[in-house]
Amino acid sequence: MEPLYFDKVENKLCRAGKIVQITPKAASVLICLLDRPGEIVSKDHILDHVWHGLHVTEDLVREYIFDLRTAIGDDAKEPAYIETVRGKGFRLIGKVIETALDGPNVQGPRASPQDQTPNLAVLRPIVHGDLHTIGDRFAEAVIAGLVSHKYMEIVSRQSSFAVDPTRELSQVAGELNAQYFLESSVARLDSRTQISVHLIDGQSDHHVWADRFELVDDGEVELLAAKVVNAISGWQGELHLAEYKQGTRKPPQTLSAFEHFIRGCDLELNFDTESVKRSLAHLDRSLELDPNFPRCLVMKAIMLQWSYDVYAQKDPFILEESAAAMAKAFILNPRDPLISALIALQRAREGDLAGALESLEHAVQTCHGDADACVCVATSLCVISGDFSRARDMFDLALRLNPLPPGWYRFVEARIRFFFGDYARSVAASRSGPQRVSAIIYRCLSHVMLEDHAAARTAYHDLQTRYPGFAFDFYANYFPIVAKEARAHYDNAVERLFQNALQNEDATPI
């Protein structure tokens, strides 16, 4: 049996030359066992020494024992280091050596992806009056929604609900290993129920985000919880914004895989060559640190497609690399509705329409609490199945779930409104978000359908200036627009553009 090396100052474990970071609480549990090697250490003893003064359950001890075993590759059924003595506690049976693990010759992988992502604790709501049932329903729905988003680790309900609300959160943060807290309160205001929500940085005690909601009907609790979840956890959500700001203040070499991913999403993306290259560099570094990070692979696939649009040299390998990244993301997490909606586009592009429709239907059935996924599903419904009405409904659902959406929703909306025939709203949406290629395409084609040829010409020249070498036919084939009605609608608008708006110009249909 190889010895296990433990640095209790840096909270690091090393086995077989591999180093992993563990949480401060997991380190404290290990220290309890290390103080009494070979002896049975009861759960009560661990609870008293690690969570002294806190009312937490024995389940928390088991969770951290599980984390320790995972970190060192120990098997609970055939343990080499930590033995479970049923009904009594745990015993350290392996050799553990305390040492510093920060020397120049000690190398190992970074912490696991779970340790790199921010941890959030949803505290039990502060309830005024007889609203405890609503408060608990709300908090539990928020926890369930956040867990499904995979953007962060959520502290167990038992631990977060046990927090004493009178204590300083900066003290509790270390005990729960939580970077962020979600506080809420429920009160009656006349005949309405009011829920206030606060996202707090656990280290600084600063409020990151706050909002207030009113319930006219108690049946809206789950919808309200979904709004909070999407406001916090989606791409460019409040936690994304907070992590992005913190990451910009750190030296690049200290960033974790998750922090590089956040930087790679580039909240200030200008869709030019330099910003796309900068984003791709962060995404590549994130995947070096964590090769099995599904949403980072998705973002890389999307960013590679965008790079093909903005790069003057059109290298087909870029699109092949994008497809490979998306395929790997789907293998790693085939249940993610956002990934399913995007892999549907890829399958349609490759000529597998049956596979595309199957993936799309899975996404439709599973996306209803995730606003970002609803937006991607709406896109795929338009161009793969040609179900414009359902696409519009899905996009409207995304706006209900996320009433203050990020800018990228708008160039998707421009596409959806065009196919639905709502050209004025397509134009408005295209102007209110980032000037991604699709925003300008559908602004141009919507102006054509509105017979505003001067505005169509302006949009067309903007498209050619921003994206040299753009071709309408290539875009439709690659995107792809495979639904017959959608393709006919698109081709008709392109034909009208060149026959009417550009009839006196030296322009060839492309």
Side-chain angles (χ1 to χ4, degrees), residues 146-253:
L146 290 172
V147 167
S148 69
H149 271 254
K150 306 296 183 184
Y151 266 97
M152 63 198 80
E153 295 302 309
I154 308 302
V155 175
S156 69
R157 177 185 182 277
Q158 293 89 342
S159 301
S160 59
F161 274 29
V163 170
D164 181 349
T166 64
R167 296 186 64 199
E168 293 288 338
L169 289 182
S170 56
Q171 297 175 354
V172 181
E175 296 169 359
L176 295 183
N177 188 34
Q179 286 79 49
Y180 296 93
F181 291 90
L182 190 70
E183 284 187 335
S184 59
S185 63
V186 186
R188 189 78 70 187
L189 184 66
D190 298 327
S191 60
R192 295 163 296 177
T193 300
Q194 186 177 86
I195 299 182
S196 298
V197 185
H198 302 264
L199 181 64
I200 300 171
D201 185 321
Q203 308 302 313
S204 65
D205 246 359
H206 292 164
H207 282 65
V208 174
W209 169 77
D211 207 339
R212 182 177 296 164
F213 305 87
E214 289 186 357
L215 289 176
V216 178
D217 181 352
D218 291 351
E220 296 178 350
V221 170
E222 281 68 29
L223 175 60
L224 190 154
K227 289 181 179 180
V228 171
V229 168
N230 283 281
I232 292 172
S233 66
W235 278 345
Q236 302 186 20
E238 296 299 332
L239 186 134
H240 188 141
L241 290 165
E243 288 287 296
Y244 182 86
K245 290 176 183 177
Q246 290 191 26
T248 58
R249 295 193 288 267
K250 294 182 179 180
Q253 65 273 18

Side-chain angles (χ1 to χ4, degrees), residues 482-504:
V482 295
K484 290 183 179 179
E485 185 179 351
R487 186 59 186 262
H489 189 43
Y490 176 89
D491 288 344
N492 175 53
V494 172
E495 183 178 359
R496 291 174 65 173
L497 169 69
F498 286 94
Q499 287 184 350
N500 299 316
L502 302 176
Q503 61 179 338
N504 297 321

Side-chain angles (χ1 to χ4, degrees), residues 163-391:
V163 170
D164 181 349
T166 64
R167 296 186 64 199
E168 293 288 338
L169 289 182
S170 56
Q171 297 175 354
V172 181
E175 296 169 359
L176 295 183
N177 188 34
Q179 286 79 49
Y180 296 93
F181 291 90
L182 190 70
E183 284 187 335
S184 59
S185 63
V186 186
R188 189 78 70 187
L189 184 66
D190 298 327
S191 60
R192 295 163 296 177
T193 300
Q194 186 177 86
I195 299 182
S196 298
V197 185
H198 302 264
L199 181 64
I200 300 171
D201 185 321
Q203 308 302 313
S204 65
D205 246 359
H206 292 164
H207 282 65
V208 174
W209 169 77
D211 207 339
R212 182 177 296 164
F213 305 87
E214 289 186 357
L215 289 176
V216 178
D217 181 352
D218 291 351
E220 296 178 350
V221 170
E222 281 68 29
L223 175 60
L224 190 154
K227 289 181 179 180
V228 171
V229 168
N230 283 281
I232 292 172
S233 66
W235 278 345
Q236 302 186 20
E238 296 299 332
L239 186 134
H240 188 141
L241 290 165
E243 288 287 296
Y244 182 86
K245 290 176 183 177
Q246 290 191 26
T248 58
R249 295 193 288 267
K250 294 182 179 180
Q253 65 273 18
T254 68
L255 298 180
S256 70
F258 183 78
E259 289 167 330
H260 276 293
F261 163 68
I262 293 294
R263 295 289 299 276
C265 291
D266 198 343
L267 304 180
E268 299 173 359
L269 187 64
N270 296 314
F271 296 105
D272 57 30
T273 300
E274 291 307 312
S275 63
V276 168
K277 284 182 176 179
R278 186 171 61 249
S279 290
L280 282 170
H282 279 295
L283 296 171
D284 284 339
R285 181 58 180 149
S286 175
L287 291 169
E288 286 177 14
L289 297 171
D290 180 9
N292 298 319
F293 189 167
R295 283 284 177 105
C296 187
L297 286 161
V298 169
M299 195 65 221
K300 180 177 180 179
I302 292 171
M303 195 64 67
L304 284 167
Q305 292 175 14
W306 291 348
S307 74
Y308 187 88
D309 291 332
V310 302
Y311 290 174
Q313 188 70 30
K314 305 299 182 185
D315 184 354
F317 176 74
I318 291 175
L319 300 181
E320 293 174 12
E321 189 180 0
S322 171
M326 187 65 73
K328 183 175 180 181
F330 182 69
I331 291 171
L332 289 170
N333 193 359
R335 296 181 180 181
D336 186 329
L338 184 146
I339 295 176
S340 293
L342 296 177
I343 205 71
L345 289 172
Q346 185 157 307
R347 288 176 170 175
R349 187 181 304 126
E350 295 167 350
D352 181 10
L353 185 57
L357 291 170
E358 180 183 355
S359 294
L360 177 55
E361 189 57 34
H362 172 265
V364 169
Q365 297 300 323
T366 58
C367 73
H368 293 278
D370 185 336
D372 291 350
C374 287
V375 173
C376 294
V377 167
T379 287
S380 295
L381 284 168
C382 272
V383 299
I384 295 175
S385 66
D387 192 340
F388 307 140
S389 180
R390 192 157 61 148

